[in-house]
Amino acid sequence: MAEAHQAVAFQFTVTPDGFDFHLSREALKQLYLAGVYSWKKRLVCAKNSFLSGVYPASPSSWMVVVMATAGSFYCQLDPSMGVIARIRCYLPGSRFLSLQSRTVVSAALFSTGVWLAAVLLCRHSLKLLLSYHGWMFEPHGKMSRGTKIWAALVKVLSGRKPLLYSFQSSLPKLPVPPVEATVTRYLESVRPLMDEEKYRRMEALAEEFKEKTAPQLQKYLVLKSWWTTNYVSDWWEEYIYLRGRGPLMVNSNYYAMDFLYVTPSRVQAARAGNAVHSMLLYRRKLDRGELPPMERMFNTTRIPGKDTDTLLHLLNSKHLAVYHRGRFYKLWLFHGGSLLRPRDLEMQFQRILDDPSPPQPGEERLAALTAGERAPWAEARARFFSYGRNKVSLDAIERAAFFLTLDEEAQGYTPDRADCMDAYAKSLLHGKCYDRWFDKSFTLVVYKNGKLGANAEHSWADAPIVGHLWEFMLGTDQFQLGYDEGGHCRGEPNTQLAPPQRLQWDIAPECQEAIERSYRVAKALADDVDFCCFQFSQFGKGLIKQCRTSPDAFIQLSLQLAHFRDKGCFCLTYEASMTRLFRQGRTETVRSCTAESTAFVRSMADARQSRAERKRLFTLAADKHQHMCRMAMTGAGIDRHLFCLYVVSRYLGVRSPFLAQVLAEPWRLSTSQTPQQQLKMFDLDKHPDHVSTGGGFGPVADDGYGVSYIIAGENLITFHVSSKHSSAETDSKRFAGHIRQAMLDIAELFDVPPRAARK
C-alpha cells in the first residue's frame, strides 16, 4: 500500500551487485518538516523562557536603557558616576577594540546591570504587592482608597501581557500559619459536631499538642517553607494521591460532561476530530506560554509502583492512544510538521470505527489493570509489560498526548428518560471498568451519538485546570471549527495519510488472570456507586443575588439543611477552595459546617422560629462561610497546615494523639463547585442552550455523599450526587430531593418566587 511506503524514508534490498537503495522523497520531506517543527518549538520555548525570566520587563526596555545611557554619555553626561570608566579600564585593549569601542561595551554592560537590577526590584515589589489580600475582605461593590492604589500599582508593575510562567517568580510563597491560630480555628470548626465531653477531650489534646509537640514540628515546617516553593504541594501530591494504593477509578478520578442541551454533531468520528484538534490547539497555546493553567495536562501518565506511584511527563508527544471495541490504536497527530486538520482526524477515527478486526487475547479488558488496586498493577506491569511487544505497545499508550475512547454507547440528556444523566455520570466515572485508561492525565470519551465526556486523573492537577481546557475545547469545537450540513468536519481529508496503527500484544494466561482479578475489584466498586445527576432549573444565581448573598454560600447552606433532613445530624463537610494566589498553590479545605450554619439549620426545623429570625441566622451563616472561603484562599486555612505538621511528625517519629485524631476524622459530605466561563469563549446570555453540565466525583466516605455543582448561567444549577449502595445510611436520589427542597425553602425566606422548571 502507498501508505506503508510513506512510513519509512528508504528501503533496501541485497542483490548480487551489492545494496540497492530506494529513497522515498515524500518520506524524506515529512522527516524534514518534522525536524523543522521540532526546532521551531524549541526556539519558541527558549524565547518564552527568556521573556518570562525578565518579566515584567521586555527586550525593548533593555534597548531603551542602553540607548539612553549611551546617548547621555556622548552628551558629556555620565549617569554612571564613573562606573562606566572603571569598567572600561578592566577591558583589554587591542587593535580590534579601540577606546571608543571599549566605551560602548562598558556603557552596554553598565546599562544591562541597571536594567537587571530594575527587573529584580520590580519583581520583588510585585511579590510584595501580591502578598496583600485585604481586597478580598472588603464589602462587595466597595473598594477602599488603599485597595485602589494597590490595584493601580499592580497594573503598572505587571507591564506587558504576561505569559504562562511570567508571574511564577513574582507570586508569594504560601505562608505557614501560626500553630495557635490553626488550632483555634480547628476547635471552632468541630465544636458544633461534638458533644460537651468529646469536645473537652479534643480541647485537652489540642492544648497538649500546642505546648509539647507543635513547636518542634512548626520549626521544621517553617524551614521547609523557606527551602521549597510551596510547603504543601509536593507532600499533598505524594501522600494524598501517589501513595494511595486503592483504585483510582471512583476513589480519585473525576469526570467532565458535554453541553447539556446541545450536541454540535451526531457523527461520532467528526465530533472526535473537532474535539481532538481543539485540544491540540490548546496544547500549542500552552507550549507558547499563552494560557495560564499547568504544564502537565498533556503527555502525562501516572506510573504504578509497589509502594508509591510516579508521574511520567514528556515535553512533547506526537501521537494519540485510541480505544474502540476492545482494541488499542496509535494515531499520529502530525503530518509534514503540522497538526492534522479536523477532517483528517475524522477520517482516521472513522477508519478505526470501520475496522472489523477482533481484539487479541486479553486485549479487551487490559485497561482494567488501571482501574484496580495499584500494587497488583505495578507487579503485572513489571512482570508482563517490561519487554517485547507488550512494552512497545504500553509505551505508545503511556507516552501519548492523551487517551481517547470511541464509546459504543449513546449517552447524554434526553427529556423522556428520567435516569439519563445518572447513566451518563456513571459511564464517565467508571465506564465498563476497562474502556478508559485511568492512569492518563485525562481520557476523552466520544459516544456513539456524538456526546463527549472526560475522565481525569487527580494527582497532576485539580478540576478547575481541566475545566479550563474543557471550556476551550467546547467553545472552539462549536463556535470556531464547526461542521458542514451533514455533521462532518469542514474541508477535504488527505486520503494519503497512513491509517492508525493497531497496537500488538502478547498477553500470557497469567497476565489475563491478573487482568480479570483487577476487573472484578473494579466492577464491584463501580456497581456500588449510587449516582444522581439532576438539573435545578427553578432558579440560578440571578435569583440568589436577590437574596444578597453569594451563590456558593447559598448552595452550601442548602446542602447543610438537606443533609440534616436526610440523616438527622450534622457532619464534617469538605469544600475545595483554590490557593492559586500563591506559587504552586493547589487547594485548601473550607469546613462548611459551622456553628452559624447549624444554628440556621436548626431554626428551619423549629416551627417556633419566625421568618425574620431565620433570615438573620441565614445571613450570619452566609457571611461566616464567605469569610472562611477568603481565609482558605489567602493561606489561613486549617487542614493543609495540620496535614503537613502530621507528615513532619511521621518523619521525626513523634507521636501526636491530636494530629492522629484530626487526620482520622471522615468527611461524610464532600463538596466542590465547578467554575464556569473561565475563558468566556462565547456569550452565555446569547447562547443559553450551550450551558455546561460540569462534572463530578465519587463518594469520599463509605457512608457519606459526594456533591459537585455548577452554577451555569442565571437560571440553572446542575448537581452531581454520589454515594454507595452498600451503605444503609445514604441514598443519592433521596438526598437530591432534599437538596432541591432546601433550595426552594431558603429562597422562600426572601420572597423570591422561582420560575417554572425547564422540561
Side-chain angles (χ1 to χ4, degrees):
M1 296 173 62
E3 294 89 349
H5 287 287
Q6 292 175 14
V8 294
F10 65 88
Q11 295 177 327
F12 69 90
T13 55
V14 180
T15 68
D17 299 324
F19 291 99
D20 184 16
F21 288 91
H22 300 279
L23 297 177
S24 169
R25 292 184 179 181
E26 178 63 24
L28 289 175
K29 176 183 175 182
Q30 298 305 322
L31 289 176
Y32 167 75
L33 292 175
V36 170
Y37 167 81
S38 178
W39 277 105
K40 281 184 178 180
K41 183 174 181 180
R42 292 180 185 179
L43 291 174
V44 169
C45 290
K47 171 192 169 186
N48 289 342
S49 297
F50 173 75
L51 293 177
S52 298
V54 301
Y55 186 84
S58 63
S60 59
S61 65
W62 174 79
M63 288 293 298
V64 170
V65 173
V66 171
M67 293 179 67
T69 303
S72 61
F73 194 82
Y74 279 100
C75 291
Q76 306 302 319
L77 296 175
D78 185 5
S80 70
M81 301 178 65
V83 175
I84 292 178
R86 289 193 176 187
I87 296 175
R88 184 176 57 196
C89 293
Y90 287 99
L91 293 178
S94 67
R95 59 191 182 93
F96 300 106
L97 197 62
S98 64
L99 178 63
Q100 185 178 11
S101 300
R102 281 187 290 158
T103 302
V104 171
V105 172
S106 301
L109 291 174
F110 171 78
S111 303
T112 302
V114 171
W115 179 73
L116 289 175
V119 168
L120 294 175
L121 178 62
C122 289
R123 190 176 290 177
H124 185 69
S125 301
L126 190 57
K127 180 181 291 187
L128 292 176
L129 287 170
L130 293 176
S131 299
Y132 168 73
H133 301 129
W135 57 274
M136 294 190 66
F137 297 89
E138 293 183 351
H140 182 69
K142 298 181 180 179
M143 185 182 295
S144 65
R145 181 180 299 175
T147 298
K148 290 179 180 178
I149 296 173
W150 168 83
L153 290 173
V154 169
K155 187 174 182 179
V156 169
L157 289 177
S158 296
R160 58 184 171 82
K161 184 179 178 180
L163 298 174
L164 174 61
Y165 298 109
S166 293
F167 275 109
Q168 283 298 302
S169 59
S170 297
L171 285 176
K173 289 186 177 183
L174 182 68
V176 180
V179 172
E180 177 73 30
T182 299
V183 172
T184 299
R185 286 194 289 267
Y186 168 78
L187 291 175
E188 180 185 354
S189 73
V190 299
R191 185 66 186 91
L193 303 174
M194 297 180 176
D195 57 33
E196 190 66 26
E197 181 182 353
K198 189 175 182 180
Y199 178 74
R200 295 303 172 198
R201 187 163 58 249
M202 178 57 75
E203 200 174 35
L205 289 176
E207 286 298 322
E208 180 186 16
F209 171 73
K210 286 191 297 183
E211 293 176 3
K212 297 181 179 179
T213 313
Q216 180 188 12
L217 304 182
Q218 182 78 347
K219 288 178 182 177
Y220 280 96
L221 199 56
V222 170
L223 182 63
K224 182 178 188 288
S225 72
W226 293 346
W227 182 255
T228 61
T229 305
N230 188 299
Y231 80 93
V232 175
S233 295
D234 56 341
W235 283 351
W236 187 255
E237 181 177 295
E238 179 179 358
Y239 293 106
I240 297 300
Y241 295 115
L242 296 180
R243 283 185 180 263
R245 299 295 83 198
L248 301 182
M249 186 195 75
V250 175
N251 295 328
S252 179
N253 285 24
Y254 53 93
Y255 66 84
M257 285 183 170
D258 200 355
F259 292 126
L260 177 58
Y261 302 119
V262 173
T263 305
S265 173
R266 297 283 179 178
V267 180
Q268 184 178 18
R271 192 78 201 281
N274 264 9
V276 170
H277 187 78
S278 300
M279 288 179 165
L280 295 174
L281 292 178
Y282 186 94
R283 185 177 72 166
R284 186 164 66 185
K285 286 181 175 289
L286 278 179
D287 292 340
R288 293 175 177 177
E290 298 173 4
L291 289 172
M294 296 181 67
E295 75 278 9
R296 295 188 295 181
M297 181 176 293
F298 296 93
N299 325 324
T300 301
T301 302
R302 180 166 171 168
I303 305 298
K306 181 180 179 181
D307 298 316
T308 183
D309 293 353
T310 56
L311 286 176
L312 171 67
H313 173 68
L314 306 176
L315 293 178
N316 192 25
S317 177
K318 297 183 179 180
H319 72 275
L320 184 70
V322 183
Y323 179 91
H324 173 62
R325 210 161 48 83
R327 304 154 308 168
F328 292 88
Y329 297 84
K330 179 179 181 179
L331 190 156
W332 291 104
L333 299 170
F334 290 81
H335 180 71
S338 300
L339 285 175
L340 291 186
R341 296 169 301 171
R343 190 67 180 89
D344 294 332
L345 288 167
E346 177 187 349
M347 179 189 68
Q348 297 290 61
F349 293 134
Q350 192 61 51
R351 286 173 169 176
I352 293 175
L353 293 171
D354 295 339
D355 183 0
S357 62
Q360 300 164 69
E363 182 182 18
E364 182 178 15
R365 294 183 176 178
L366 173 62
L369 289 169
T370 70
E373 300 283 346
R374 303 304 291 171
W377 170 210
E379 181 182 351
R381 186 177 185 276
R383 183 179 176 187
F384 302 112
F385 297 91
S386 59
Y387 57 89
R389 62 169 59 181
N390 286 354
K391 184 180 188 307
V392 173
S393 296
L394 182 62
D395 282 347
I397 296 174
E398 293 181 338
R399 294 175 174 271
F402 55 93
F403 193 84
L404 169 68
T405 295
L406 295 171
D407 207 290
E408 299 172 76
E409 298 178 348
Q411 296 289 353
Y413 174 72
T414 50
D416 56 347
R417 181 183 169 191
D419 65 341
C420 61
M421 297 302 291
D422 306 346
Y424 188 13
K426 282 178 67 69
S427 175
L428 289 172
L429 185 65
H430 53 68
K432 297 178 181 177
C433 305
Y434 57 79
D435 52 355
R436 286 89 171 100
W437 198 270
F438 294 100
D439 287 354
K440 288 299 291 183
S441 54
F442 67 91
T443 294
L444 174 64
V445 183
V446 184
Y447 291 101
K448 188 176 181 179
N449 60 342
K451 272 295 179 184
L452 295 177
N455 182 287
E457 201 276 314
H458 209 157
S459 65
W460 65 272
D462 302 296
I465 306 301
V466 174
H468 200 276
L469 163 69
W470 202 245
E471 283 189 19
F472 180 91
M473 182 273 295
L474 291 178
T476 304
D477 169 29
Q478 173 73 338
F479 296 100
Q480 295 183 17
L481 299 178
Y483 301 87
D484 63 21
E485 293 180 356
H488 296 280
C489 297
R490 292 170 178 168
E492 294 296 326
N494 178 7
T495 57
Q496 297 302 309
L497 288 175
Q501 175 187 345
R502 178 79 186 274
L503 298 184
Q504 300 299 312
W505 307 93
D506 185 11
I507 301 177
E510 296 89 346
C511 183
Q512 295 183 36
E513 292 175 6
I515 293 172
E516 286 303 310
R517 286 194 295 269
S518 290
Y519 171 71
R520 287 193 294 269
V521 170
K523 185 70 164 55
L525 180 60
D527 290 344
D528 196 25
V529 174
D530 178 18
F531 224 100
C532 180
C533 178
F534 70 97
Q535 285 70 50
F536 183 87
S537 54
Q538 282 80 1
F539 58 83
K541 66 179 180 181
L543 181 144
I544 294 175
K545 289 176 181 177
Q546 297 180 37
C547 302
R548 296 186 178 181
T549 188
S550 79
D552 184 67
F554 187 100
I555 294 173
Q556 285 292 326
L557 289 173
S558 299
L559 292 176
Q560 290 299 315
L561 178 57
H563 188 274
F564 186 78
R565 289 173 173 175
D566 185 77
K567 289 190 174 182
C569 64
F570 299 102
C571 71
L572 196 61
T573 305
Y574 182 109
E575 182 187 6
S577 174
M578 302 300 290
T579 56
R580 306 296 288 181
L581 295 173
F582 303 97
R583 195 169 181 181
Q584 292 185 5
R586 288 194 62 164
T587 61
E588 177 58 275
T589 304
V590 177
R591 294 178 167 236
S592 302
C593 185
T594 63
E596 290 80 2
S597 68
T598 56
F600 163 70
V601 169
R602 291 187 189 280
S603 75
M604 294 293 287
D606 187 353
R608 297 170 298 177
Q609 295 287 351
S610 65
R611 175 182 290 190
E613 178 62 11
R614 288 171 176 172
K615 287 174 65 175
R616 185 186 71 84
L617 292 173
F618 173 85
T619 301
L620 289 175
D623 290 345
K624 176 66 174 181
H625 180 79
Q626 288 180 265
H627 177 74
M628 291 178 61
C629 288
R630 294 178 182 122
M631 294 288 285
M633 292 174 66
T634 55
I638 300 170
D639 292 275
R640 300 301 180 269
H641 185 203
L642 294 179
F643 161 75
C644 289
L645 290 172
Y646 177 76
V647 174
V648 174
S649 72
R650 294 298 300 269
Y651 275 127
L652 297 178
V654 176
R655 183 177 176 273
S656 171
F658 170 73
L659 291 177
Q661 178 69 26
V662 170
L663 271 294
E665 294 170 345
W667 302 96
R668 290 193 171 90
L669 181 56
S670 182
T671 70
S672 178
Q673 179 185 171
T674 303
Q676 170 79 347
Q677 291 280 288
Q678 296 183 81
L679 285 172
K680 298 189 184 301
M681 296 287 292
F682 59 92
D683 189 342
L684 200 55
D685 294 331
K686 295 181 180 179
H687 305 278
D689 283 349
H690 289 74
V691 291
S692 172
T693 324
F697 53 89
V700 174
D702 290 339
D703 56 351
Y705 292 108
V707 181
S708 176
Y709 52 93
I710 180 170
I711 305 170
E714 296 294 315
N715 300 301
L716 179 67
I717 303 172
T718 298
F719 289 90
H720 304 252
V721 182
S722 64
S723 62
K724 291 190 175 182
H725 289 296
S726 56
S727 172
E729 300 180 25
T730 59
D731 184 303
S732 292
K733 284 184 172 57
R734 184 184 71 204
F735 190 50
H738 286 310
I739 294 173
R740 191 186 299 272
Q741 190 59 49
M743 297 276 288
L744 294 172
D745 289 347
I746 295 177
E748 188 179 355
L749 292 177
F750 295 87
D751 296 319
V752 183
R755 70 186 185 94
R758 174 169 178 163
K759 299 298 183 182

